[in-house]
Amino acid sequence: MRVPVSWLYEYVELALTPEELADVLTIGGLEVDSVDRPTAGAKGLTVVEVEAIEPVPKSDKLSLVHATDGQHSWEIVCGASNFSVGDRVPAALPGSTLPGGIEIGAKKLMGVTSNGMLASPRELGVGDDHSGIWLLGPDAPIGADVATWLDLDEAVIDIDLTPDRGYGASIWGLARDLAALTGAELTIPELAGNPGGDPGVGVTIEDATRCRRWDGRSIAGISVAPAPPLIQKRLNLVGMRPISNVVDATNYAMLETGYPVHAYDRALLTGDITVRRALRGEVLRTLDGTDRQLDPEDVVIADESGAIGLAGVMGGEVAEINPETTDLYVEVAAWNPVEVLRTGRRHRLHTEARQRFERTVSAQWLPVGASRVSELITLWAGGTVTGGHDLHPIPDHRPRIELRTSRVRSLLGIDIDADEQSALLTTIGCTVSGDGEVRTVKPPPYRPDLLIEEDLSEEIARLYGYDRIEPTVPSTGQSGRRSDADLAALAIRRGLAGAGWTEVLQYPFIADDDLSDLGLAEDDPRRQTIKLVNPLSKEESVLRTTLLPGLLATVRRNVNRQNSDVALFETGHVFVPPSAEHPSLDAGVDDVQLPAEPDHLGLIACGAFERRRHDAAARPVDFADVMGAVELVRRTIGAADLRVERTTEMPFHPGRAATVWFGDTRVGVVGELHPRVCAAYEVPARTVAAELQLDVITSDGIRTSEATVPSPLPGLHFDVAALVDESVPHDRVAAAVADAAGEGLASIELFDVFQGEQLGEGKKSLAFSLVLEDRGTQLTDTDEAAAIERIATAIEELGGQLRR
């Protein structure tokens, strides 16, 4: 929130510089992003009165304005048309300087000499409004220096509000905080409540849970005109465009009190008002000129003609204040913050009102906002408050909180006695009763965020001063470290990154349609998704049960941007219903089981995986590349030997996919994606992927094995070739050869597989290279012959024979 310092100092007496003020607020928990002086450098700007306006020859848009500063008349060429004879406006005459050091002189335009320029608010640095010349009003002193008269050099502080400090979105809320933090005197005016009487407009609230309180007032006999220049300046400085005295009063009151206000032209209302849900197919044209298709979950303000406002977000054009308006109906309501949040997101509307309602507006002091806006409207636009009603279907009873002062001392680690704690809370308007170690606290109405004892502890620390709390080291004597599983996962990530795979991080949300595009059967456990109550969009409406949709979407984005060679991996949670395999992390609330969150590792690759030489064609990625990554994972943590079994599990291509096992533990699936899946996600054909259970893989951390001391004597190298039926698996033959070779076997490698007519139909030859070692004796040809004889016997037991 942007706050002009002079506006804040109207209500709290301080002599701090803007920079000192920013430090006080930041230390007090309200982070100040910046201190700006947007109009710094403006000099020589003068209030002039328009005496005459005539067209510039040969120009359709430019006018020659005759203006006086009380002593001299000036001819100034201007392209705006929002002013008329008699208006008082700011002029940058020759010799003056605009913000940014822009010097103004006389200049000839279309053959006419322009002595400077008339200025808009943006040209003076007080806002973004550049729609026309700034109208200063009839009370502006002719010939006065604009910068001095309106204090254009004042500073503006920009505060970054956290969601729990909604009171900080108001000048009065900040003033209360500053008074508590500094001890300065607070001078917020006392305001009368609702005057009662018949406002002439009936109001029905159909669902009190969506509108906890409604204060409405009728004002008759107003005259719409520009607001005073000081008010326009302040609204411009906070980023709001001045419109008229009535609309500006609603915005000004909102910024002061924190209560969003809406004013309706009574002549444009049809019958009484109803607060209800939107009807299916109902359309509302909001104040931004957009026709919005309403959702049945939207809460609207409606009269007999239909919806006239989107509750808590934006009003409608149908009853908009206009220059002919004479009678008003003004409302201030307390809307349900969750409903306002959802409605704003549905319609992609970010408004000042929504920002405040999302942070919860206190219903208890709601008439303060209505009284302040009524006061400002009658002050600036005339008129009289003719009646009002205060509907309060759900009374807002603030809870009394029990404060254990000894617990506060324990939590904060500082010795603040009970009386000092009470005194600190009293500075922000709390009512504290009791005189022992336990006090009863009633929070002030403007602080709906104070609900539990911990909230009060935080306030005591904040008001005492975070900078006064000495840092201390925990006395447990324990030091933190990563778990073995975390270290194993980190090693895997580093290993994959070192092997050329790029790590990505995705949002944990997907759409139900993503799982359909993966071709998963209806009874597949991955279809049991957990839906979000308040999704960001329909494309992110459920928690993911697999990493593949996010990875596929990333591949698609890369390919669409001409980056077709990708090799990605991701580690992260998936969310599945609790089961024996994946128990819930917590019992949840009211015995509702929270989802299990197992960790997975996903890999995906397409295009060219590597280029062996700069002058050679790139090799396209294939199944072996992703299998190599899986083997790298296994070796990184020292898991048991890898083995695979063919699988037809979706979303993989049947016959080109395999279930992966580390020893006897199933860890995931690897393979080419099914062509239908590739088409659905618009990724290249024959894209390869894998999804592994990372928490299972890393459960035992990184496994270490004892190093084998090599023999000091040369090993015995020899080759054997086994002729067996082609139906006998390679690994079975390799195991038989290894067992027969004996304990001295140092290594065995399959280096050739051959099938041909000379071997006979249905036969294959597997050639192995073996190394035997003995640390105490030099092996000889006799040892080789004995080993070969044993291997021949083992091969015969498999129904084959050793090739000689």
Side-chain angles (χ1 to χ4, degrees):
M1 177 178 174
R2 291 176 59 81
V3 181
V5 172
S6 67
W7 194 356
L8 191 58
Y9 281 3
E10 278 189 15
Y11 301 110
V12 60
E13 295 184 10
L14 286 172
L16 300 175
T17 66
E19 288 73 20
E20 292 170 337
L21 175 65
D23 289 341
V24 170
L25 288 171
T26 299
I27 292 174
L30 294 164
E31 181 183 355
V32 176
D33 281 345
S34 63
V35 178
D36 302 323
R37 289 176 172 79
T39 60
K43 297 178 182 178
L45 304 172
T46 306
V47 177
V48 300
E49 183 175 89
V50 177
E51 296 180 310
I53 304 173
E54 60 185 71
V56 172
K58 300 180 181 179
S59 174
D60 296 332
K61 297 181 179 179
L62 299 179
S63 299
L64 181 62
V65 179
H66 298 269
T68 179
D69 62 6
Q71 295 183 349
H72 301 93
S73 291
W74 302 88
E75 292 185 348
I76 302 172
V77 176
C78 182
S81 59
N82 66 313
F83 58 93
S84 57
V85 173
D87 284 338
R88 297 182 182 183
V89 297
L93 300 174
S96 62
T97 304
L98 293 180
I102 302 173
E103 297 183 359
I104 301 299
K107 186 177 182 180
K108 183 166 287 190
L109 298 170
M110 304 292 291
V112 178
T113 299
S114 177
N115 295 285
M117 59 181 285
L118 304 183
S120 69
R122 189 173 76 182
E123 288 163 335
L124 296 185
V126 296
D128 295 327
D129 186 10
H130 194 53
S131 58
I133 301 305
W134 189 3
L135 304 181
L136 298 177
D139 297 329
I142 298 175
D145 184 285
V146 177
T148 302
W149 175 53
L150 291 178
D151 188 21
L152 292 188
D153 289 335
E154 77 164 301
V156 179
I157 58 176
D158 193 354
I159 301 175
D160 186 11
L161 288 177
T162 53
D164 62 326
R165 299 205 176 274
Y167 71 89
S170 68
I171 299 295
W172 290 0
L174 293 173
R176 291 188 181 100
D177 237 24
L178 278 172
L181 291 167
T182 63
E185 184 177 352
L186 186 67
T187 56
I188 291 177
E190 293 288 335
L191 296 171
N194 194 294
D198 183 12
V201 178
V203 175
T204 301
I205 300 174
E206 291 188 353
D207 187 346
T209 63
R210 288 173 168 78
C211 181
R212 293 172 290 131
R213 191 169 186 177
W214 175 289
D215 188 311
R217 308 187 186 189
S218 290
I219 303 176
I222 62 100
S223 177
V224 176
L230 175 63
I231 305 307
Q232 293 188 49
K233 183 199 79 167
R234 285 181 173 174
L235 292 175
N236 271 313
L237 287 175
V238 301
M240 302 182 76
R241 183 170 65 88
I243 296 174
S244 68
N245 47 10
V246 174
V247 177
D248 292 354
T250 64
N251 289 329
Y252 199 84
M254 175 188 69
L255 292 167
E256 278 197 332
T257 68
Y259 289 98
V261 182
H262 194 74
Y264 304 88
D265 186 329
R266 278 196 59 185
L268 300 178
L269 292 176
T270 304
D272 292 336
I273 286 175
T274 302
V275 177
R276 59 170 172 79
R277 288 194 180 193
L279 305 177
R280 189 171 298 279
E282 194 168 14
V283 177
L284 169 67
R285 173 165 290 186
T286 46
L287 287 172
D288 59 359
T290 302
D291 289 328
R292 302 188 181 275
Q293 186 79 31
L294 301 181
D295 188 280
E297 290 297 315
D298 293 334
V299 179
V300 298
I301 303 157
D303 63 8
E304 294 177 6
S305 67
I308 60 173
L310 204 51
V313 181
M314 185 177 283
E317 277 191 358
V318 63
E320 183 180 8
I321 305 302
N322 59 78
E324 309 303 321
T325 300
T326 57
D327 298 330
L328 304 174
Y329 179 75
V330 179
E331 59 92 355
V332 182
W335 304 105
N336 184 302
V338 176
E339 298 288 343
V340 171
L341 173 66
R342 291 174 179 171
T343 297
R345 284 183 174 175
R346 268 194 295 269
H347 296 282
R348 302 179 186 276
L349 279 172
H350 300 275
T351 63
E352 293 285 341
R354 172 188 164 183
Q355 177 189 358
R356 287 163 174 79
F357 282 121
E358 286 178 0
R359 288 169 166 79
T360 304
V361 167
S362 169
Q364 199 168 352
W365 268 6
L366 186 140
V368 169
S371 296
R372 182 59 171 165
V373 73
S374 300
E375 179 182 75
L376 294 177
I377 289 174
T378 54
L379 178 65
W380 299 340
T384 305
V385 178
T386 59
H389 47 207
D390 184 2
L391 308 179
H392 204 172
I394 299 182
D396 191 15
H397 297 301
R398 297 304 308 279
R400 294 181 183 274
I401 305 170
E402 184 180 88
L403 179 68
R404 296 166 292 175
T405 57
S406 60
R407 176 169 171 76
V408 174
R409 288 192 289 271
S410 175
L411 286 173
L412 302 184
I414 50 178
D415 187 16
I416 308 178
D417 64 38
D419 290 338
E420 186 177 359
Q421 292 182 35
S422 298
L424 289 171
L425 292 174
T426 302
T427 63
I428 59 171
C430 291
T431 303
V432 184
S433 58
D435 56 6
E437 282 295 301
V438 178
R439 307 289 172 101
T440 301
V441 181
K442 182 181 180 182
Y446 80 96
R447 291 296 302 274
D449 57 303
L450 301 181
L451 300 172
I452 57 177
E453 185 182 35
E454 285 74 12
D455 295 332
L456 299 180
S457 298
E458 181 184 357
E459 285 300 297
I460 291 170
R462 188 175 71 89
L463 297 169
Y464 179 79
Y466 293 128
D467 55 327
R468 295 174 60 193
I469 301 176
E470 293 293 333
T472 57
V473 177
S475 59
T476 62
Q478 298 178 350
S479 60
R481 64 178 295 273
R482 289 180 178 269
S483 68
D484 291 340
D486 284 342
L487 290 171
L490 180 60
I492 288 171
R493 291 167 54 206
R494 286 173 172 168
L496 289 171
W501 295 77
T502 300
E503 185 172 16
V504 295
L505 182 65
Q506 323 271 3
Y507 286 117
F509 314 120
I510 59 173
D512 264 332
D513 289 346
D514 287 334
L515 301 176
S516 299
D517 290 342
L518 289 180
L520 303 185
E522 292 297 328
D523 59 352
D524 192 301
R526 288 170 290 181
R527 296 298 291 264
Q528 299 179 40
T529 55
I530 297 158
K531 298 186 183 300
L532 300 179
V533 174
N534 188 28
L536 297 173
S537 66
K538 291 181 179 179
E539 289 72 30
E540 298 177 318
S541 59
V542 301
L543 290 171
R544 66 187 180 189
T545 56
T546 167
L547 302 181
L548 292 179
L551 290 170
L552 282 161
T554 302
V555 170
R556 180 175 62 227
R557 283 193 296 272
N558 276 270
V559 170
N560 288 343
R561 288 160 178 76
Q562 311 302 314
N563 180 27
S564 57
D565 302 332
V566 292
L568 311 175
F569 78 94
E570 179 185 12
T571 61
H573 294 314
V574 297
F575 303 84
V576 296
S579 64
E581 182 182 1
H582 299 298
S584 173
L585 297 179
D586 197 331
V589 180
D590 298 330
D591 294 327
V592 175
Q593 292 291 312
L594 297 177
E597 301 180 19
D599 282 326
H600 279 200
L601 165 64
L603 301 108
I604 193 166
C606 66
F609 192 75
E610 64 181 359
R611 188 185 300 273
R612 296 189 183 278
R613 297 202 320 265
H614 72 280
D615 59 343
R619 179 181 63 78
V621 69
D622 59 22
F623 176 86
D625 294 308
V626 73
M627 273 302 302
V630 175
E631 171 63 10
L632 173 63
V633 169
R634 187 197 67 79
R635 290 184 179 181
T636 299
I637 63 168
D641 289 343
L642 180 151
R643 63 186 181 88
V644 296
E645 293 181 0
R646 184 174 297 182
T647 182
T648 59
E649 180 180 321
M650 289 296 287
F652 295 96
H653 193 306
R656 296 180 183 173
T659 302
V660 179
W661 300 72
F662 288 173
D664 295 329
T665 303
R666 183 186 185 278
V667 296
V669 183
V670 60
E672 285 187 17
L673 292 172
H674 198 287
R676 289 199 300 269
V677 174
C678 293
Y681 278 93
E682 299 176 359
V683 299
R686 307 204 72 170
T687 295
V688 294
E691 185 159 17
L692 309 180
Q693 295 170 277
L694 185 63
D695 52 349
V696 173
I697 294 171
T698 61
S699 60
D700 294 331
I702 299 176
R703 303 161 181 83
T704 57
S705 57
E706 294 184 3
T708 301
V709 179
S711 172
L713 301 173
L716 185 64
H717 296 252
F718 63 95
D719 299 336
V720 296
L723 182 65
V724 296
D725 290 339
E726 63 181 2
S727 61
V728 179
H730 293 13
D731 58 350
R732 187 178 175 190
V733 178
V737 172
D739 289 342
E743 295 181 358
L745 180 67
S747 69
I748 178 173
E749 179 182 357
L750 174 66
F751 69 86
D752 183 56
V753 178
F754 176 72
Q755 288 178 280
E757 295 179 359
Q758 59 269 48
L759 297 180
E761 186 176 353
K763 298 292 184 178
K764 64 182 177 182
S765 173
L766 306 178
F768 296 91
S769 178
L770 296 89
V771 177
L772 300 181
E773 290 181 351
D774 189 313
R775 299 192 74 251
T777 304
Q778 175 63 60
L779 299 178
T780 65
D781 293 346
T782 303
D783 298 306
E784 177 182 337
I788 291 174
E789 194 63 35
R790 294 194 300 270
I791 292 171
T793 302
I795 297 301
E796 289 173 1
E797 291 176 356
L798 293 178
Q801 61 183 14
L802 203 63
R803 294 182 66 194
R804 302 295 183 176

